[in-house]
Amino acid sequence: MTALLRGARIVNPRQQLAAFFAAFIALFAVLLGSTSAAAAPLAHNNNNAPGSVAVVTSTANGKTYVIGTDTTFAPFEFRDTSGEMTGIDMDLIRAIGKDQGFNVEIRSLGFNAALQALSSNQVDGVIAGMSITDERKKIYDFSEPYFESGVQMAVAANDDTVKSYEDLKGKTVVAKTGAEGETFAKSIADKYGFTVQSLDQSATMYESVKSGNAVAVFDDYPVLAYGIAQGNGLKTVTDKEAGGSYGFAVNKGKNPELLAAFNDGLAKLKANGEYQKILDKYLAAPKNTSSGSFFDLLGTALPALMKGLGNTLLVTAISFVFAMILGLIFGFMKVSNNIVLRGIATTFVNIFRGTPLLVWAFFFYFGIPQITGQPINIWVAGVLTLALNSGAYVAEIVRGGIQSVDPGQLEAARSLGLGYGKSMQRVVVPQAFKIMTPSLINQLIIMLKDSSLLLAIGFTELLYQAQQIYAANFRVTEVLIIVAVIYFIAIFLLTKLANYADRKFNR
Ligand code: GLN
């Protein structure tokens, strides 16, 4: 262990290491214990503060509630041209909040992710065109219904082959993960002999039908009607199915005051005509928003994409620092003579190299809060995921680097009278570090690209922002091309910078 610490000190001075260590321990404390001040300001924390009894206050007045919603489910929720979440659900929850004196903080997560977030108390409520079903009533509490809906099938506008469910035989259809459309499609799939493929977003479902990867999509009829009117390239050929009504949901037994406030506010908005006004605003005459040149698109999309890029770079930088610390510690443990240290390090590497990144992202963000009952800040979950995964690879890079230094170097240093630690510090590690640098740069770049996976938990990185944009304007291809170019430029510059640093420090 002493060799290890001395070794680590060569690359990072002791104080720096200690500071990093403290920060890392603090991060774990956040994970294991209470939420940090920076963590999501969930209103129910007020009620469940340590030491206090969970009291149910009769009012939601003055609180801020975190509300999860779908990425895009226009006209219920979508982003307007300025990037703000808008739509019937958004107007409704904000108007009710105003009437009842509570604030809302919207998290656009995607439908399935929003439900997971609600189950793990990462959000206080969900409003997402969510149908009230018996299955869901077992795990969530619903408000009074606020909109009647139902599932319908849509096909590509230029498709003349599919006119009924019978025509789906042998074909593939798409539906949204966890949504009523998916349940319905699956319930008739065997009868009509088609396959259901599930996707997370309305925009990618529609794109899939237009590109011919699927012949039809099952989605809620008001959403299909709105998209069709906007020129999304689809048409409906069958009648809508009788379906559920939408309700606002909270986790079972949680935030009852919020549910009561929602019901009370909804009744008032219905009585004073504001509810109807909100519906008319979005349902009366949807305008086509998917026109405009590529440069118009670039102009409107760039600010949001740059914000995403900023978060991508920041989460990568922070995670890389922690990955380096973990990698150095476990890398030195892997070359130690102590069998226990070697065993611990090998286990760490095997676990995090042998499991997908996304599993850990879900585990930290949705899994741990379900076990502990404490929400976790998305940055903490993101950094833990990336740092632990990359830490395993860095450990192997460090081990490989040290082992690739000619053993004669150590022997020569020892024979000159230097102790083991000093020999490592002065002779072996500087050489090892030179060997490691290109692999570490590689690892940094891999990590930057991998950080896009965090979009699955709703982390607002670059690709997440892109999804939000094409979910609203259906211009999937162009937005993805822009994103690819941004990633390319960022990684190109990062590589140049890293190589420059390599030349400067490793001469
Ligand atoms: N109404 C559907 C459901 O609740 C779909 C909701 C959505 O896709 N946002 O399952």
Side-chain angles (χ1 to χ4, degrees):
M1 191 69 183
T2 41
L4 174 145
L5 286 177
R6 280 196 211 128
R9 195 175 56 196
I10 299 141
V11 187
N12 289 314
R14 179 185 272 163
Q15 295 92 329
Q16 240 169 333
L17 194 69
F20 284 150
F21 234 102
F24 199 62
I25 288 166
L27 199 67
F28 262 99
V30 172
L31 167 71
L32 296 172
S34 58
T35 13
S36 75
L42 292 186
H44 57 246
N45 282 352
N46 303 346
N47 289 342
N48 295 345
S52 81
V53 189
V55 239
V56 175
T57 41
S58 57
T59 172
N61 204 342
K63 292 186 185 163
T64 296
Y65 291 99
V66 181
I67 306 296
T69 189
D70 201 344
T71 316
T72 276
F73 199 54
F76 293 91
E77 41 266 337
F78 58 102
R79 289 195 190 261
D80 63 15
T81 40
S82 65
E84 273 301 303
M85 286 303 286
T86 121
I88 296 172
D89 285 350
M90 301 298 99
D91 282 12
L92 210 52
I93 189 83
R94 287 182 183 128
I96 291 174
K98 201 165 156 203
D99 178 68
Q100 300 285 316
F102 65 82
N103 300 314
V104 290
E105 192 188 309
I106 300 295
R107 292 263 170 85
S108 160
L109 298 167
F111 186 65
N112 191 40
L115 299 200
Q116 303 312 321
L118 187 59
S119 300
S120 45
N121 298 316
Q122 294 280 40
V123 295
D124 295 308
V126 164
I127 188 159
M130 181 176 174
S131 310
I132 305 171
T133 65
D134 289 338
E135 278 302 303
R136 289 178 186 159
K137 273 201 236 165
K138 290 181 195 151
I139 45 175
Y140 308 118
D141 290 332
F142 281 98
S143 69
E144 295 297 322
Y146 65 84
F147 193 89
E148 299 303 319
S149 190
V151 171
Q152 196 173 14
M153 177 174 85
V155 298
N158 58 8
D159 180 350
D160 292 327
T161 61
V162 179
K163 295 198 174 71
S164 66
Y165 297 153
E166 277 81 13
D167 300 330
L168 296 174
K169 199 166 177 54
K171 308 256 168 71
T172 297
V173 308
V174 283
K176 196 183 287 177
T177 313
E180 229 192 349
E182 184 195 46
T183 314
F184 175 73
K186 284 186 173 163
S187 74
I188 61 164
D190 281 349
K191 182 172 167 200
Y192 295 103
F194 61 84
T195 315
V196 182
Q197 193 201 350
S198 301
L199 294 171
D200 276 349
Q201 290 197 34
S202 298
T204 38
M205 296 195 309
Y206 301 165
E207 205 56 28
S208 185
V209 173
K210 278 195 292 176
S211 64
N213 290 328
V215 292
V217 50
F218 285 82
D219 208 351
D220 290 8
Y221 85 85
V223 176
L224 287 174
Y226 185 87
I228 290 168
Q230 268 201 321
N232 70 357
L234 300 182
K235 66 176 179 192
T236 49
V237 286
T238 51
D239 288 336
K240 77 178 179 80
E241 300 291 333
S245 340
Y246 294 164
F248 168 73
V250 293
N251 208 0
K252 199 145 201 77
K254 290 261 178 184
N255 297 312
E257 78 290 352
L258 174 59
L259 203 56
F262 186 93
N263 283 332
D264 191 46
L266 180 64
K268 279 196 193 149
L269 296 188
K270 279 189 174 170
N272 69 15
E274 197 173 338
Y275 169 82
Q276 195 54 45
K277 258 196 221 151
I278 293 176
L279 289 193
D280 291 346
K281 176 173 161 197
Y282 293 98
L283 293 178
K287 53 183 185 305
N288 191 328
T289 57
S290 45
S291 57
S293 76
F294 176 79
F295 290 99
D296 290 341
L297 173 69
L298 191 64
T300 48
L302 220 49
L305 293 178
M306 284 301 129
K307 185 178 155 228
L309 177 65
N311 285 343
T312 290
L313 294 176
L314 192 60
V315 79
T316 305
I318 299 173
S319 305
F320 193 68
V321 170
F322 287 119
M324 282 297 292
I325 297 166
L326 289 171
L328 284 168
I329 294 172
F330 288 109
F332 277 98
M333 279 165 75
K334 280 207 94 167
V335 296
S336 111
N337 294 326
N338 185 320
I339 187 168
V340 178
L341 293 183
R342 274 208 315 276
I344 293 172
T346 306
T347 308
F348 169 80
V349 171
N350 285 346
I351 289 177
F352 288 101
R353 209 173 51 173
T355 44
L357 197 82
L358 207 45
V359 172
W360 290 104
F362 286 141
F363 181 75
F364 288 129
Y365 195 63
F366 298 133
I368 298 246
Q370 281 200 4
I371 300 168
T372 62
Q374 291 287 339
I376 282 182
N377 182 287
I378 197 154
W379 281 87
V380 176
V383 167
L384 276 171
T385 304
L386 293 177
L388 288 167
N389 177 274
S390 262
Y393 289 95
V394 173
E396 281 300 301
I397 295 171
V398 170
R399 179 195 59 76
I402 295 170
Q403 287 180 341
S404 62
V405 175
D406 186 347
Q409 296 282 326
L410 181 61
E411 281 165 29
R414 300 289 312 258
S415 69
L416 288 173
L418 284 177
Y420 176 79
K422 276 266 178 290
S423 307
M424 286 295 276
Q425 181 179 346
R426 296 269 161 80
V427 180
V428 178
V429 170
Q431 298 184 56
F433 203 67
K434 260 190 206 175
I435 299 169
M436 285 184 244
T437 312
S439 310
L440 290 175
I441 295 174
N442 250 346
Q443 191 54 43
L444 175 64
I445 288 164
I446 289 171
M447 190 194 241
L448 193 146
K449 291 189 288 185
D450 280 355
S451 68
S452 66
L453 287 170
L454 296 180
L455 75 86
I457 58 169
F459 185 82
T460 46
E461 49 76 54
L462 180 52
L463 192 55
Y464 171 93
Q465 295 290 74
Q467 276 199 341
Q468 299 283 328
I469 293 166
Y470 67 61
N473 64 16
F474 301 103
R475 297 172 73 171
V476 181
T477 317
E478 291 155 282
V479 174
L480 285 177
I481 290 173
I482 298 173
V483 165
V485 171
I486 297 177
Y487 268 118
F488 181 82
I489 295 173
I491 289 171
F492 182 79
L493 294 177
L494 186 70
T495 312
K496 285 260 170 254
L497 190 76
N499 287 340
Y500 171 78
D502 180 26
R503 276 199 307 278
K504 204 156 167 65
F505 299 118
N506 282 338
R507 262 197 293 242

